[in-house]
Amino acid sequence: MTIMPEINPNDILGIDKDWWRGAVIYQIYPRSYQDSNDDGIGDLAGIIHRLDHIASLGVDAIWISPFFKSPMLDFGYDVSDYRDVDPMFGTLGDFDALIEKAHNLGLKVLIDLVLSHSSDQHPWFIESRETRDNPKADWYVWADAKPDGSPPNNWLSIFGGSAWEWSPERMQYYLHNFLVEQPDLNLHNPDVQDALLDVCRFWLDRGVDGFRLDTINFYFHDKLLRDNPALAPERRNFTIAPEVNPYNWQDHLYDKNQPENLDFLRRMRAVMDEYPAATAVGEVGDAQYGLEIQSQYTSGGDKVHMCYSFDFLSGETPSAETVGAVIEKQEASIGDGWACWAFSNHDVVRHPTRWNLDEAGQRVFAALLLSLRGSVCLYQGEELGLTEAYVAFEELQDPYGIRFWPKFKGRDGCRTPIPWVSDNHNGGFSQSKPWLPVAVEHLQRSVEAQTRLEDSTLAFYRNMIALRKSLPELVKGEFEFVTHTQDVVAFWRRYQGRAVLCAFNLSGETRELPLPEGAYDDITAPFHATVAGGMLTLPAYQAWFGAQNR
């Protein structure tokens, strides 16, 4: 009798359940991508109109920041209905059409789920604050005042001030790690977990390929509500909150990063595994423990697939030594987990401005990002080399910036609309006044203008992403450092008997690197370097890729 091998249905369907491993993900901030109805605000139909541009980059997936119903006090990160589209952005029908077109273009679709908190206008919270004994009384984090009427403990909000707000309806405080209008959900309650997992199923059933999980390490709080200890000044790190915010003065041991989160992430992974190839990338918002948490949350194949931390979202321009320290720490702890790297997003100053990079500097750092072991998130406009835009106080929208102006100008400067054409004062984004102004200096870097140039930043990103996709070593390969000193970062990426040496000069001066022994195939890349006598010469802000068969 012949025993037939077991057949995996996913193999028959040609489904790659590991598509996310090494994927390049393009983040869309929908308010600022493309306005289709001339109200000055980007929308889902606008994204549909511009999907061809994203597909032309060669990326694997898009991540769309929140478009759910919301009072928009934090621009969609304050959700009042998890199962519907805010009319500002369109309809569920528009979203279905977006999914269909993206999939036809070969793009996966991830959406941004905000599960740690909701809007105070969500029906769950409205019911929860009515009384202490209603069916949803325990769906949010409520606590009695101290005998003197002060908040239950010393926890602080990332947006400034106490993380506790008094509710006269319940005569109790509720927790809000962000805006007062963003109460934290109580995931210690299994009913809350079930409701949130049902939200995941709703969107997966609708055809999404996965989620970007906002503030994934904020899901649980310490049940005992213990005070956070003070953080030594030398340990303060301003990647999560600006320097002017005393949030940085605490060691956040109890208001986030709780061990109970691991079991909830296992429950979420079990739901995602019900679908053919769903994935999740978590945002780890922590200045001290980000890499350790990233490793915990992605290990074992039973929690989230990948996470990114804020190590390369800081204000300090990464030196070769800094890059080495971050990667070595990550490689030592990640085990069978998986990282997702980013240099920019909707919450931080765009990295060309943050790190004071000229065009050559932007390119070598982009090549570095696209060569690291892990997946990659690119933020809209990164492919155009957009810098941080100046937004006058009178035009600010971000409550974070309004509160801490002028020491911290908020997040509006990285959220201004994408310039599609150069000969229009709104850059082709809208016929009406945009919700944030289009930066004048961005017009010359429009998609239309750069598409006409063979050596534009846009062309560079297309070429570099194509190079990455042509080399399985860069997508899924093992990682080993050669050096990360004296402005040069060099490492091996190895996969199935082949190895690629990747070398990057992060300085404005020529640097040399003795090459490890062996014969190399010089891989065509959008850089200039020379090899002679076993020595690699890297001009300022240049990179080199050399392949070996092993």
Side-chain angles (χ1 to χ4, degrees):
M1 181 177 65
T2 302
I3 299 176
M4 298 298 294
E6 183 176 347
I7 297 175
N8 185 333
N10 289 329
D11 293 338
I12 298 174
L13 297 173
I15 295 172
D16 179 9
K17 292 179 70 69
D18 256 5
W19 68 266
W20 51 272
R21 197 179 291 273
V24 179
I25 303 165
Y26 184 93
Q27 182 193 354
I28 298 172
Y29 194 70
R31 295 179 70 95
S32 298
Y33 208 64
Q34 177 67 65
D35 174 19
S36 71
N37 60 359
D38 293 330
D39 63 356
I41 298 171
D43 45 48
L44 297 181
I47 294 173
I48 293 171
H49 182 61
R50 298 297 187 181
L51 278 175
D52 289 299
H53 164 70
I54 300 172
S56 77
L57 295 173
V59 302
D60 302 285
I62 57 174
W63 143 30
I64 310 174
S65 288
F67 50 82
F68 315 108
K69 280 191 175 177
S70 165
M72 297 294 164
L73 296 179
D74 192 24
F75 305 109
Y77 285 89
D78 48 329
V79 179
S80 58
D81 187 342
Y82 285 105
R83 296 171 183 249
D84 204 357
V85 173
D86 194 278
M88 173 186 299
F89 296 124
T91 66
L92 281 170
D94 292 326
F95 182 76
D96 293 340
L98 191 160
I99 288 272
E100 181 178 7
K101 179 165 184 181
H103 286 170
N104 287 339
L105 289 170
L107 295 168
K108 306 286 188 182
V109 178
L110 310 183
I111 65 171
D112 210 327
L113 279 189
V114 189
L115 304 182
S116 67
H117 55 268
S118 75
S119 165
D120 64 351
Q121 295 184 30
H122 196 292
W124 295 346
F125 184 74
I126 292 172
E127 182 176 350
S128 184
R129 73 179 168 195
E130 287 179 350
T131 64
R132 298 191 187 190
D133 58 0
N134 68 75
K136 290 189 171 52
D138 192 37
W139 278 45
Y140 291 81
V141 184
W142 295 97
D144 292 329
K146 289 181 177 179
D148 63 359
S150 60
N153 59 30
N154 70 345
W155 297 351
L156 297 173
S157 164
I158 283 184
F159 284 171
S162 173
W164 296 96
E165 178 70 8
W166 180 252
S167 168
E169 292 89 348
R170 284 184 52 144
M171 295 291 287
Q172 283 183 307
Y173 284 95
Y174 66 84
L175 178 67
H176 63 92
N177 276 296
F178 299 92
L179 291 177
V180 169
E181 296 87 359
Q182 291 172 299
D184 275 62
L185 285 153
N186 178 23
L187 271 79
H188 288 290
N189 184 333
D191 292 338
V192 174
Q193 293 188 30
D194 291 345
L196 295 176
L197 294 178
D198 283 345
V199 168
C200 295
R201 287 191 180 91
F202 175 84
W203 291 104
L204 289 167
D205 287 342
R206 205 154 199 111
V208 304
D209 301 288
F211 308 109
R212 181 267 190 180
L213 299 170
D214 185 63
T215 59
I216 191 174
N217 55 317
F218 282 77
Y219 288 172
F220 285 81
H221 64 285
D222 174 46
K223 276 188 171 183
L224 300 179
L225 303 182
R226 287 172 282 189
D227 282 347
N228 283 327
L231 186 68
E234 62 271 17
R235 291 186 61 210
R236 291 176 189 167
N237 183 317
F238 310 116
T239 58
I240 304 301
E243 188 172 358
V244 294
N245 189 344
Y247 186 87
N248 298 297
W249 298 6
Q250 290 187 358
D251 194 354
H252 293 274
L253 297 181
Y254 299 117
D255 51 351
K256 56 183 178 180
N257 307 338
Q258 298 305 293
E260 293 93 331
N261 204 19
L262 297 176
D263 284 335
F264 174 68
L265 295 180
R266 290 186 182 97
R267 292 195 67 196
M268 178 180 288
R269 179 59 175 266
V271 168
M272 300 191 72
D273 285 348
E274 296 171 9
Y275 297 80
T279 193
V281 53
E283 175 202 31
V284 177
D286 195 277
Q288 277 72 45
Y289 310 106
L291 290 176
E292 293 92 333
I293 296 166
Q294 174 180 294
S295 301
Q296 291 173 14
Y297 288 8
T298 64
S299 65
D302 61 348
K303 296 177 283 292
V304 292
H305 301 74
M306 49 189 166
C307 283
Y308 72 86
S309 59
F310 279 66
D311 297 271
F312 289 136
L313 294 169
S314 69
E316 177 186 358
T317 306
S319 64
E321 290 78 8
T322 302
V323 171
V326 170
I327 302 299
E328 283 189 336
K329 186 175 181 181
Q330 190 262 0
E331 285 290 315
S333 62
I334 197 71
D336 63 349
W338 196 254
C340 187
W341 301 104
F343 287 167
S344 286
N345 66 21
H346 63 292
D347 281 333
V348 298
V349 172
R350 287 184 177 274
H351 73 272
T353 299
R354 206 168 72 240
W355 297 343
N356 193 29
L357 299 176
D358 61 14
E359 193 158 328
Q362 291 178 44
R363 294 186 183 194
V364 76
F365 272 100
L368 172 64
L369 176 67
L370 288 162
S371 303
L372 295 176
R373 179 175 180 262
S375 301
V376 173
C377 283
L378 300 177
Y379 179 51
Q380 64 179 48
E382 200 166 330
E383 77 277 19
L384 304 176
L386 297 189
T387 54
E388 185 80 354
Y390 173 76
V391 181
F393 180 78
E394 294 75 20
E395 294 183 290
L396 280 186
Q397 302 291 327
D398 184 11
Y400 206 0
I402 292 169
R403 174 157 193 171
F404 287 107
W405 179 277
K407 292 289 187 180
F408 173 66
K409 296 180 173 63
R411 302 164 295 179
D412 288 338
C414 68
R415 298 176 174 182
T416 57
I418 294 294
W420 296 101
V421 298
S422 301
D423 58 353
N424 178 300
H425 68 288
N426 289 336
F429 167 74
S430 177
Q431 296 300 316
S432 301
K433 181 180 178 181
W435 77 286
L436 283 173
V438 175
V440 173
E441 66 272 19
H442 287 178
L443 294 177
Q444 62 185 341
R445 307 197 66 84
S446 72
V447 173
E448 179 191 54
Q450 294 200 43
T451 298
R452 295 196 299 263
L453 302 174
E454 290 184 2
D455 193 36
S456 66
T457 299
L458 175 59
F460 167 81
Y461 269 86
R462 286 173 173 157
N463 291 335
M464 190 63 222
I465 293 169
L467 175 67
R468 174 186 174 90
K469 294 183 78 170
S470 72
L471 296 172
E473 298 92 331
L474 298 187
V475 178
K476 299 183 188 294
E478 298 297 319
F479 181 99
E480 181 188 351
F481 264 123
V482 173
T483 187
H484 47 81
T485 58
Q486 298 181 331
D487 304 317
V488 174
V489 174
F491 48 78
W492 288 106
R493 300 297 311 279
R494 295 189 174 95
Y495 186 73
Q496 294 184 350
R498 270 178 54 93
V500 174
L501 180 64
C502 311
F504 310 88
N505 178 3
L506 305 184
S507 77
E509 305 290 335
T510 297
R511 294 288 184 261
E512 292 186 333
L513 175 70
L515 288 176
E517 291 185 5
Y520 293 87
D521 293 328
D522 191 339
I523 299 171
T524 301
F527 287 104
H528 305 287
T530 57
V531 176
M535 185 69 69
L536 171 65
T537 301
L538 289 165
Y541 298 118
Q542 294 296 307
W544 181 80
F545 301 88
Q548 286 187 347
N549 289 314
R550 290 288 180 94

